[in-house]
Coordinates of all heavy atoms in Angstrom, one line a residue:
T1 N -117.4 81.2 -97.7 CA -116.3 80.3 -97.4 C -116.7 79.0 -96.7 O -117.9 78.9 -96.4 CB -115.3 81.0 -96.4 OG1 -116.0 81.3 -95.2 CG2 -114.8 82.3 -97.0
E2 N -115.8 78.1 -96.5 CA -116.2 76.8 -95.9 C -116.7 77.0 -94.4 O -117.6 76.3 -94.0 CB -114.9 75.9 -95.9 CG -114.5 75.4 -97.2 CD -113.6 76.4 -97.9 OE1 -113.1 77.4 -97.2 OE2 -113.3 76.3 -99.1
K3 N -116.1 78.0 -93.8 CA -116.5 78.2 -92.4 C -117.9 78.7 -92.3 O -118.7 78.3 -91.5 CB -115.6 79.2 -91.7 CG -115.8 79.4 -90.2 CD -114.8 80.3 -89.6 CE -115.0 80.4 -88.1 NZ -114.0 81.3 -87.5
T4 N -118.3 79.6 -93.2 CA -119.7 80.2 -93.1 C -120.7 79.1 -93.6 O -121.8 79.1 -93.1 CB -119.8 81.4 -94.0 OG1 -119.5 81.1 -95.4 CG2 -119.0 82.5 -93.5
L5 N -120.3 78.2 -94.5 CA -121.2 77.2 -94.9 C -121.4 76.2 -93.8 O -122.5 75.7 -93.6 CB -120.7 76.5 -96.1 CG -120.7 77.3 -97.4 CD1 -120.1 76.5 -98.6 CD2 -122.1 77.7 -97.8
K6 N -120.4 75.9 -93.0 CA -120.5 75.0 -91.9 C -121.4 75.6 -90.8 O -122.2 74.9 -90.2 CB -119.1 74.7 -91.3 CG -119.1 73.5 -90.4 CD -117.6 73.0 -90.2 CE -117.6 71.8 -89.5 NZ -117.7 70.6 -90.3
L7 N -121.2 76.9 -90.6 CA -122.1 77.6 -89.6 C -123.6 77.6 -90.1 O -124.5 77.4 -89.3 CB -121.7 79.0 -89.4 CG -120.4 79.3 -88.5 CD1 -120.0 80.7 -88.6 CD2 -120.7 78.9 -87.1
A8 N -123.8 77.7 -91.4 CA -125.1 77.7 -91.9 C -125.8 76.3 -91.7 O -127.0 76.3 -91.5 CB -125.1 78.0 -93.4
E9 N -125.1 75.3 -91.7 CA -125.6 74.0 -91.4 C -126.2 73.9 -89.9 O -127.2 73.2 -89.7 CB -124.6 72.9 -91.5 CG -124.2 72.6 -92.9 CD -123.0 71.6 -93.0 OE1 -122.5 71.2 -91.9 OE2 -122.7 71.2 -94.1
S10 N -125.6 74.7 -89.0 CA -126.1 74.7 -87.6 C -127.0 75.8 -87.3 O -127.3 76.1 -86.2 CB -124.9 74.7 -86.7 OG -124.2 75.9 -86.9
G11 N -127.5 76.5 -88.4 CA -128.5 77.6 -88.2 C -127.9 78.9 -87.9 O -128.7 79.8 -87.5
K12 N -126.6 79.1 -88.2 CA -126.0 80.4 -88.0 C -125.6 81.0 -89.4 O -124.9 80.3 -90.1 CB -124.8 80.3 -87.1 CG -125.2 79.9 -85.7 CD -123.9 79.8 -84.8 CE -124.3 79.3 -83.4 NZ -123.1 79.2 -82.6
Y13 N -126.0 82.2 -89.7 CA -125.8 82.7 -91.0 C -124.9 84.0 -90.9 O -125.1 84.8 -90.0 CB -127.1 83.1 -91.7 CG -127.9 81.8 -92.0 CD1 -128.9 81.4 -91.0 CD2 -127.8 81.1 -93.1 CE1 -129.6 80.2 -91.2 CE2 -128.5 80.0 -93.4 CZ -129.4 79.5 -92.4 OH -130.2 78.4 -92.6
T14 N -124.0 84.1 -91.8 CA -123.0 85.2 -91.8 C -123.3 86.2 -92.8 O -123.6 85.9 -94.0 CB -121.6 84.6 -92.0 OG1 -121.3 83.6 -91.1 CG2 -120.5 85.7 -91.8
F15 N -123.3 87.5 -92.5 CA -123.5 88.6 -93.4 C -122.4 89.6 -93.3 O -121.9 89.9 -92.2 CB -124.8 89.3 -93.0 CG -126.0 88.5 -93.1 CD1 -126.5 87.8 -92.0 CD2 -126.7 88.3 -94.3 CE1 -127.6 87.0 -92.0 CE2 -127.8 87.6 -94.4 CZ -128.3 86.9 -93.3
E16 N -121.9 90.1 -94.4 CA -120.9 91.2 -94.4 C -121.7 92.5 -94.4 O -122.6 92.7 -95.2 CB -120.0 91.2 -95.6 CG -118.9 92.2 -95.5 CD -117.9 92.0 -96.6 OE1 -118.0 91.1 -97.4 OE2 -117.0 92.9 -96.7
L17 N -121.4 93.4 -93.4 CA -122.1 94.6 -93.2 C -121.4 95.8 -94.0 O -120.2 95.8 -94.2 CB -122.2 95.0 -91.7 CG -122.8 93.9 -90.9 CD1 -122.8 94.4 -89.4 CD2 -124.2 93.7 -91.3
S18 N -122.2 96.7 -94.4 CA -121.7 97.9 -95.1 C -121.0 98.8 -94.1 O -121.4 99.0 -93.0 CB -122.9 98.7 -95.7 OG -122.5 99.9 -96.2
R19 N -119.8 99.3 -94.6 CA -119.0 100.2 -93.8 C -119.6 101.6 -93.8 O -119.4 102.4 -92.9 CB -117.6 100.2 -94.3 CG -116.9 98.9 -94.1 CD -115.4 99.0 -94.5 NE -114.7 100.1 -93.8 CZ -114.0 100.9 -94.5 NH1 -113.8 100.8 -95.8 NH2 -113.4 101.9 -93.8
S20 N -120.4 101.9 -94.8 CA -120.9 103.3 -94.9 C -122.0 103.6 -94.0 O -122.3 104.7 -93.6 CB -121.3 103.6 -96.4 OG -122.3 102.7 -96.7
R21 N -122.8 102.5 -93.7 CA -123.9 102.7 -92.8 C -123.7 101.9 -91.5 O -123.7 100.7 -91.6 CB -125.2 102.2 -93.5 CG -126.4 102.5 -92.6 CD -127.7 102.2 -93.4 NE -128.9 102.5 -92.6 CZ -129.4 101.7 -91.7 NH1 -128.8 100.6 -91.4 NH2 -130.5 102.1 -91.0
R22 N -123.7 102.5 -90.4 CA -123.5 101.9 -89.1 C -124.8 101.3 -88.7 O -125.9 101.9 -88.7 CB -123.0 102.8 -88.1 CG -121.8 103.6 -88.4 CD -120.5 103.0 -88.1 NE -120.4 102.7 -86.7 CZ -119.4 101.9 -86.2 NH1 -118.5 101.5 -87.0 NH2 -119.3 101.6 -85.0
I23 N -124.9 100.0 -88.3 CA -126.1 99.3 -87.9 C -125.8 98.6 -86.6 O -124.8 98.0 -86.5 CB -126.6 98.4 -89.0 CG1 -128.0 97.8 -88.7 CG2 -125.6 97.3 -89.4 CD1 -128.7 97.2 -89.9
N24 N -126.8 98.6 -85.7 CA -126.5 97.9 -84.4 C -127.2 96.5 -84.5 O -127.9 96.2 -85.5 CB -127.0 98.7 -83.2 CG -128.5 99.0 -83.3 OD1 -129.3 98.3 -83.8 ND2 -128.8 100.2 -82.7
K25 N -127.1 95.7 -83.5 CA -127.6 94.4 -83.4 C -129.1 94.3 -83.5 O -129.7 93.5 -84.2 CB -127.1 93.6 -82.2 CG -125.7 93.4 -82.2 CD -125.3 92.7 -80.9 CE -123.8 92.4 -80.9 NZ -123.4 91.6 -79.7
I26 N -129.8 95.3 -82.8 CA -131.3 95.3 -82.8 C -131.8 95.6 -84.2 O -132.7 95.0 -84.7 CB -131.8 96.3 -81.8 CG1 -131.3 95.9 -80.4 CG2 -133.3 96.5 -81.9 CD1 -131.5 96.9 -79.3
E27 N -131.2 96.6 -84.9 CA -131.6 97.0 -86.2 C -131.4 95.8 -87.2 O -132.2 95.6 -88.1 CB -130.9 98.2 -86.7 CG -131.3 99.5 -86.0 CD -130.3 100.6 -86.4 OE1 -129.2 100.4 -86.9 OE2 -130.7 101.8 -86.1
L28 N -130.2 95.1 -87.0 CA -129.9 94.0 -87.9 C -130.9 92.9 -87.7 O -131.3 92.2 -88.7 CB -128.5 93.5 -87.6 CG -128.0 92.4 -88.5 CD1 -128.0 92.8 -90.0 CD2 -126.6 91.9 -88.1
A29 N -131.3 92.6 -86.5 CA -132.3 91.5 -86.2 C -133.6 91.9 -86.8 O -134.3 91.0 -87.4 CB -132.4 91.3 -84.7
K30 N -134.0 93.1 -86.8 CA -135.3 93.6 -87.4 C -135.2 93.4 -88.9 O -136.1 93.0 -89.6 CB -135.6 95.0 -87.0 CG -136.1 95.2 -85.6 CD -136.4 96.7 -85.4 CE -136.8 96.9 -83.9 NZ -137.0 98.3 -83.7
F31 N -134.1 93.8 -89.5 CA -133.9 93.7 -90.9 C -133.9 92.2 -91.4 O -134.6 91.9 -92.4 CB -132.5 94.3 -91.3 CG -132.2 94.0 -92.8 CD1 -132.8 94.8 -93.8 CD2 -131.3 93.1 -93.1 CE1 -132.5 94.6 -95.1 CE2 -131.0 92.8 -94.5 CZ -131.6 93.6 -95.5
V32 N -133.3 91.3 -90.7 CA -133.3 89.9 -91.1 C -134.7 89.3 -90.9 O -135.1 88.6 -91.8 CB -132.3 89.1 -90.2 CG1 -132.4 87.6 -90.4 CG2 -130.8 89.5 -90.5
K33 N -135.4 89.7 -89.9 CA -136.8 89.2 -89.7 C -137.7 89.7 -90.8 O -138.5 88.9 -91.3 CB -137.3 89.7 -88.3 CG -138.6 89.2 -88.0 CD -139.0 89.6 -86.6 CE -140.4 88.9 -86.2 NZ -140.7 89.2 -84.8
E34 N -137.6 91.0 -91.2 CA -138.4 91.5 -92.3 C -138.0 91.0 -93.7 O -138.9 90.6 -94.5 CB -138.4 93.0 -92.3 CG -139.0 93.6 -91.1 CD -138.7 95.1 -91.0 OE1 -138.1 95.7 -91.9 OE2 -139.2 95.7 -89.9
Q35 N -136.8 90.9 -93.9 CA -136.3 90.6 -95.2 C -136.4 89.1 -95.6 O -136.8 88.7 -96.7 CB -134.8 90.9 -95.4 CG -134.2 90.9 -96.8 CD -134.7 92.0 -97.6 OE1 -135.1 93.1 -97.2 NE2 -134.7 91.8 -98.9
F36 N -136.1 88.2 -94.6 CA -136.1 86.8 -94.8 C -137.3 86.0 -94.2 O -137.3 84.8 -94.3 CB -134.8 86.2 -94.4 CG -133.6 86.7 -95.1 CD1 -132.7 87.6 -94.5 CD2 -133.3 86.4 -96.4 CE1 -131.6 88.2 -95.1 CE2 -132.2 86.9 -97.1 CZ -131.4 87.8 -96.4
K37 N -138.1 86.7 -93.4 CA -139.3 86.1 -92.8 C -138.9 85.0 -91.8 O -139.4 83.9 -91.8 CB -140.3 85.6 -93.8 CG -140.7 86.5 -94.9 CD -141.5 87.7 -94.4 CE -142.1 88.5 -95.5 NZ -141.3 89.7 -95.9
V38 N -137.8 85.2 -91.0 CA -137.4 84.3 -90.0 C -137.2 85.0 -88.7 O -137.3 86.2 -88.6 CB -136.0 83.6 -90.4 CG1 -136.2 82.8 -91.6 CG2 -135.0 84.7 -90.7
T39 N -137.0 84.2 -87.6 CA -136.9 84.8 -86.3 C -135.5 84.6 -85.8 O -135.0 83.5 -85.4 CB -137.9 84.1 -85.3 OG1 -139.2 84.1 -85.8 CG2 -137.8 84.8 -83.9
P40 N -134.7 85.7 -85.7 CA -133.3 85.6 -85.2 C -133.4 85.5 -83.6 O -134.1 86.2 -82.9 CB -132.7 87.0 -85.5 CG -133.7 87.7 -86.3 CD -135.0 87.0 -86.2
L41 N -132.6 84.5 -83.1 CA -132.5 84.3 -81.7 C -131.3 85.1 -81.1 O -131.4 85.6 -80.0 CB -132.2 82.8 -81.4 CG -133.4 81.9 -81.7 CD1 -132.9 80.5 -81.4 CD2 -134.6 82.2 -80.9
K42 N -130.2 85.2 -81.9 CA -129.0 85.9 -81.4 C -128.3 86.5 -82.5 O -128.3 86.0 -83.6 CB -128.2 84.8 -80.8 CG -127.0 85.2 -80.0 CD -126.3 84.0 -79.3 CE -125.2 84.4 -78.4 NZ -124.6 83.3 -77.8
V43 N -127.7 87.7 -82.3 CA -126.9 88.4 -83.3 C -125.5 88.7 -82.7 O -125.5 89.4 -81.6 CB -127.6 89.7 -83.8 CG1 -126.7 90.4 -84.7 CG2 -128.9 89.4 -84.3
N44 N -124.5 88.3 -83.3 CA -123.1 88.6 -82.9 C -122.5 89.4 -84.0 O -122.7 89.1 -85.2 CB -122.3 87.4 -82.7 CG -122.8 86.6 -81.5 OD1 -123.2 87.2 -80.5 ND2 -122.6 85.3 -81.5
T45 N -121.7 90.4 -83.7 CA -121.0 91.2 -84.7 C -119.5 91.1 -84.4 O -119.1 91.0 -83.3 CB -121.4 92.7 -84.7 OG1 -121.2 93.2 -83.4 CG2 -122.9 92.8 -85.1
L46 N -118.7 91.2 -85.5 CA -117.2 91.2 -85.3 C -116.6 92.1 -86.4 O -117.2 92.3 -87.5 CB -116.7 89.8 -85.3 CG -116.9 89.0 -86.6 CD1 -115.5 88.7 -87.2 CD2 -117.6 87.7 -86.3
R47 N -115.4 92.5 -86.1 CA -114.7 93.3 -87.1 C -113.4 92.6 -87.4 O -112.7 92.1 -86.5 CB -114.3 94.7 -86.5 CG -115.5 95.6 -86.4 CD -115.1 97.0 -85.9 NE -116.1 97.9 -86.0 CZ -116.0 99.2 -85.8 NH1 -114.8 99.6 -85.4 NH2 -117.0 100.0 -85.9
K48 N -113.0 92.6 -88.7 CA -111.7 92.1 -89.1 C -110.9 93.3 -89.5 O -111.3 94.0 -90.5 CB -111.9 91.1 -90.2 CG -112.4 89.8 -89.7 CD -112.3 88.8 -90.8 CE -112.8 87.4 -90.2 NZ -112.6 86.4 -91.2
L49 N -109.9 93.6 -88.8 CA -109.1 94.8 -89.2 C -108.2 94.6 -90.4 O -107.8 93.4 -90.7 CB -108.2 95.2 -88.0 CG -108.9 95.5 -86.7 CD1 -107.9 95.8 -85.6 CD2 -109.8 96.7 -86.9
G50 N -108.0 95.6 -91.2 CA -107.2 95.5 -92.4 C -105.7 95.6 -92.0 O -105.3 95.8 -90.9
K51 N -104.9 95.3 -93.0 CA -103.5 95.4 -92.8 C -103.0 96.9 -92.7 O -103.4 97.7 -93.5 CB -102.7 94.7 -94.0 CG -103.0 93.3 -94.1 CD -102.2 92.6 -95.2 CE -102.5 91.2 -95.2 NZ -101.8 90.5 -96.3
P52 N -102.3 97.2 -91.7 CA -101.9 98.6 -91.5 C -100.9 99.0 -92.6 O -100.0 98.3 -93.0 CB -101.2 98.6 -90.1 CG -100.8 97.2 -89.9 CD -101.8 96.4 -90.6
G53 N -101.1 100.3 -93.0 CA -100.1 100.8 -94.0 C -100.4 100.6 -95.4 O -99.8 101.2 -96.3
T54 N -101.2 99.6 -95.7 CA -101.4 99.3 -97.1 C -102.5 100.2 -97.7 O -102.4 100.5 -98.9 CB -101.8 97.8 -97.3 OG1 -103.0 97.5 -96.7 CG2 -100.7 96.9 -96.8
G55 N -103.6 100.4 -97.0 CA -104.7 101.2 -97.5 C -105.6 100.4 -98.3 O -106.8 100.8 -98.5
R56 N -105.2 99.3 -98.9 CA -106.1 98.5 -99.7 C -107.1 97.7 -98.9 O -108.2 97.5 -99.3 CB -105.3 97.5 -100.5 CG -104.4 98.2 -101.6 CD -103.7 97.2 -102.4 NE -102.8 96.4 -101.5 CZ -102.3 95.2 -101.7 NH1 -102.7 94.6 -102.8 NH2 -101.5 94.6 -100.9
H57 N -106.7 97.2 -97.8 CA -107.5 96.4 -96.9 C -107.9 97.2 -95.7 O -107.2 97.2 -94.7 CB -106.8 95.1 -96.5 CG -106.3 94.3 -97.7 ND1 -107.1 93.6 -98.5 CD2 -105.0 94.2 -98.1 CE1 -106.3 93.1 -99.4 NE2 -105.1 93.4 -99.2
S58 N -109.0 97.9 -95.7 CA -109.3 98.8 -94.6 C -110.2 98.2 -93.6 O -110.7 98.8 -92.7 CB -110.0 100.0 -95.2 OG -111.2 99.7 -95.9
G59 N -110.4 96.9 -93.7 CA -111.2 96.2 -92.6 C -112.6 96.0 -93.0 O -113.1 96.7 -93.9
R60 N -113.2 95.0 -92.4 CA -114.6 94.7 -92.7 C -115.3 94.4 -91.4 O -114.7 94.0 -90.4 CB -114.7 93.5 -93.7 CG -114.1 93.8 -95.0 CD -114.3 92.6 -95.9 NE -113.0 91.8 -95.8 CZ -112.9 90.6 -96.3 NH1 -113.8 90.1 -97.0 NH2 -111.8 90.0 -96.2
Q61 N -116.7 94.5 -91.5 CA -117.5 94.1 -90.3 C -118.5 93.0 -90.7 O -119.1 93.1 -91.8 CB -118.3 95.3 -89.8 CG -119.0 95.0 -88.5 CD -119.6 96.3 -87.9 OE1 -119.7 97.3 -88.5 NE2 -120.2 96.1 -86.7
F62 N -118.6 92.0 -89.9 CA -119.5 90.9 -90.2 C -120.5 90.7 -89.0 O -120.3 91.2 -87.9 CB -118.7 89.6 -90.3 CG -117.7 89.6 -91.4 CD1 -116.4 90.0 -91.2 CD2 -118.1 89.1 -92.7 CE1 -115.5 90.0 -92.3 CE2 -117.2 89.1 -93.7 CZ -115.9 89.5 -93.5
A63 N -121.6 90.0 -89.4 CA -122.6 89.7 -88.4 C -122.9 88.2 -88.5 O -123.1 87.7 -89.6 CB -123.9 90.5 -88.5
I64 N -123.1 87.5 -87.4 CA -123.5 86.1 -87.4 C -124.8 86.1 -86.7 O -125.0 86.5 -85.5 CB -122.5 85.2 -86.7 CG1 -121.1 85.3 -87.4 CG2 -123.0 83.8 -86.6 CD1 -120.0 84.6 -86.6
V65 N -125.9 85.6 -87.4 CA -127.2 85.6 -86.9 C -127.6 84.2 -86.7 O -127.6 83.4 -87.7 CB -128.2 86.3 -87.9 CG1 -129.6 86.3 -87.4 CG2 -127.7 87.7 -88.2
Q66 N -128.1 83.9 -85.5 CA -128.6 82.5 -85.2 C -130.1 82.5 -85.2 O -130.7 83.4 -84.7 CB -128.1 82.1 -83.8 CG -128.5 80.7 -83.5 CD -128.0 80.2 -82.1 OE1 -127.3 81.0 -81.4 NE2 -128.3 79.0 -81.7
L67 N -130.6 81.5 -86.0 CA -132.1 81.4 -86.1 C -132.6 80.3 -85.3 O -131.9 79.5 -84.7 CB -132.4 81.1 -87.6 CG -131.9 82.1 -88.6 CD1 -132.3 81.7 -90.0 CD2 -132.4 83.5 -88.3
K68 N -133.9 80.2 -85.2 CA -134.6 79.1 -84.5 C -134.2 77.8 -85.3 O -134.0 77.8 -86.5 CB -136.1 79.2 -84.6 CG -136.7 80.2 -83.6 CD -138.2 80.2 -83.7 CE -138.8 81.1 -82.7 NZ -140.3 81.0 -82.8
P69 N -134.1 76.7 -84.6 CA -133.6 75.4 -85.3 C -134.5 75.0 -86.4 O -134.1 74.4 -87.4 CB -133.7 74.4 -84.2 CG -133.6 75.2 -82.9 CD -134.2 76.5 -83.2
S70 N -135.8 75.3 -86.4 CA -136.7 74.9 -87.4 C -136.7 75.8 -88.6 O -137.4 75.5 -89.7 CB -138.1 74.8 -86.9 OG -138.5 76.1 -86.4
E71 N -136.0 76.9 -88.6 CA -136.0 77.9 -89.7 C -134.7 77.9 -90.5 O -133.7 77.6 -89.9 CB -136.3 79.3 -89.2 CG -137.7 79.4 -88.5 CD -137.9 80.8 -88.0 OE1 -137.0 81.6 -87.7 OE2 -139.1 81.2 -87.9
K72 N -134.8 78.2 -91.8 CA -133.7 78.4 -92.6 C -133.9 79.5 -93.6 O -135.0 79.9 -93.8 CB -133.5 77.1 -93.5 CG -133.2 75.9 -92.7 CD -132.8 74.7 -93.6 CE -132.5 73.5 -92.8 NZ -131.3 73.6 -92.0
I73 N -132.8 80.1 -94.1 CA -132.9 81.2 -95.0 C -132.7 80.6 -96.4 O -131.8 79.9 -96.7 CB -131.8 82.3 -94.8 CG1 -132.1 83.0 -93.4 CG2 -131.8 83.3 -95.9 CD1 -131.1 84.0 -93.0
E74 N -133.7 80.9 -97.3 CA -133.6 80.4 -98.7 C -132.4 81.0 -99.4 O -132.0 82.1 -99.2 CB -134.9 80.8 -99.5 CG -136.1 80.2 -98.9 CD -136.2 78.7 -99.0 OE1 -135.7 78.2 -100.0 OE2 -136.7 78.1 -98.1
G75 N -131.7 80.1 -100.1 CA -130.5 80.6 -100.9 C -129.2 80.3 -100.1 O -128.1 80.4 -100.7
F76 N -129.3 79.9 -98.9 CA -128.1 79.5 -98.1 C -128.0 78.0 -97.9 O -127.2 77.6 -97.1 CB -128.2 80.2 -96.7 CG -127.7 81.6 -96.7 CD1 -128.5 82.6 -96.9 CD2 -126.3 81.9 -96.4 CE1 -128.1 83.9 -96.9 CE2 -125.9 83.2 -96.3 CZ -126.8 84.2 -96.6
E77 N -128.8 77.2 -98.6 CA -128.8 75.8 -98.4 C -127.4 75.3 -98.8 O -126.8 75.6 -99.8 CB -129.8 75.1 -99.2 CG -131.2 75.3 -98.7 CD -131.8 76.6 -99.2 OE1 -131.4 77.1 -100.2 OE2 -132.7 77.1 -98.5
V78 N -126.9 74.3 -98.0 CA -125.6 73.7 -98.2 C -125.9 72.4 -98.9 O -126.6 71.5 -98.4 CB -124.9 73.5 -96.8 CG1 -123.5 72.8 -97.1 CG2 -124.7 74.8 -96.1
K79 N -125.3 72.3 -100.1 CA -125.4 71.0 -100.8 C -124.2 70.2 -100.6 O -123.1 70.6 -100.9 CB -125.5 71.3 -102.3 CG -126.8 72.1 -102.6 CD -126.9 72.5 -104.1 CE -128.1 73.3 -104.3 NZ -128.2 73.8 -105.6
T80 N -124.4 69.0 -100.0 CA -123.3 68.1 -99.7 C -123.2 67.1 -100.8 O -124.1 66.6 -101.4 CB -123.5 67.4 -98.4 OG1 -124.8 66.7 -98.5 CG2 -123.6 68.3 -97.2
E81 N -121.9 66.9 -101.2 CA -121.6 65.9 -102.2 C -121.2 64.6 -101.6 O -120.4 64.5 -100.7 CB -120.5 66.4 -103.1 CG -120.8 67.6 -103.9 CD -119.7 68.1 -104.8 OE1 -118.7 67.3 -105.0 OE2 -119.7 69.2 -105.2
K82 N -121.8 63.5 -102.1 CA -121.4 62.2 -101.6 C -120.2 61.7 -102.4 O -120.1 61.8 -103.6 CB -122.5 61.2 -101.8 CG -123.7 61.6 -100.9 CD -124.8 60.5 -101.0 CE -126.0 60.9 -100.1 NZ -127.1 59.9 -100.2
K83 N -119.2 61.2 -101.6 CA -117.9 60.7 -102.2 C -117.9 59.2 -102.3 O -118.5 58.5 -101.5 CB -116.7 61.2 -101.5 CG -116.6 62.7 -101.6 CD -115.4 63.2 -100.8 CE -115.3 64.7 -100.9 NZ -114.1 65.2 -100.2

């Protein structure tokens, strides 16, 4: 989304976490470090609750990982268009 792309410009990357496997912040930081070869400085997690009674939207969990200013994750580059 636009919000996650704007966060990526400032060195914060958003990941949607699996609901089937519970993962804590320390495990997530280790995973990001091994998978993307970067150093996470900070990990924040949040939950978005689903709409009650519908059953279709059961909620999701997200993580926002902040990296060192000199590091970037490949594939998350934001391409700006000049108008």
Side-chain angles (χ1 to χ4, degrees):
T1 63
E2 293 85 10
K3 186 175 182 180
T4 58
L5 292 176
K6 193 164 189 89
L7 283 172
E9 289 176 354
S10 64
K12 296 179 181 179
Y13 296 90
T14 306
F15 298 93
E16 185 172 357
L17 303 177
S18 172
R19 291 184 54 229
S20 62
R21 185 175 183 277
R22 308 271 305 171
I23 186 169
N24 61 30
K25 292 180 182 184
I26 297 168
E27 292 171 342
L28 182 62
K30 286 180 185 177
F31 173 78
V32 169
K33 185 174 185 176
E34 292 170 2
Q35 191 73 23
F36 298 107
K37 309 292 189 267
V38 294
T39 307
L41 295 177
K42 191 174 184 182
V43 177
N44 292 328
T45 58
L46 61 116
R47 287 182 170 187
K48 289 191 175 183
L49 299 176
K51 295 182 180 180
T54 62
R56 293 181 298 156
H57 307 286
S58 58
R60 294 182 269 172
Q61 186 174 8
F62 296 93
I64 300 173
V65 179
Q66 183 178 358
L67 304 180
K68 285 184 175 181
S70 61
E71 296 181 333
K72 295 189 182 288
I73 294 178
E74 296 296 323
F76 276 88
E77 288 82 24
V78 179
K79 296 177 182 172
T80 57
E81 294 181 15
K82 293 184 179 180
K83 293 182 180 180

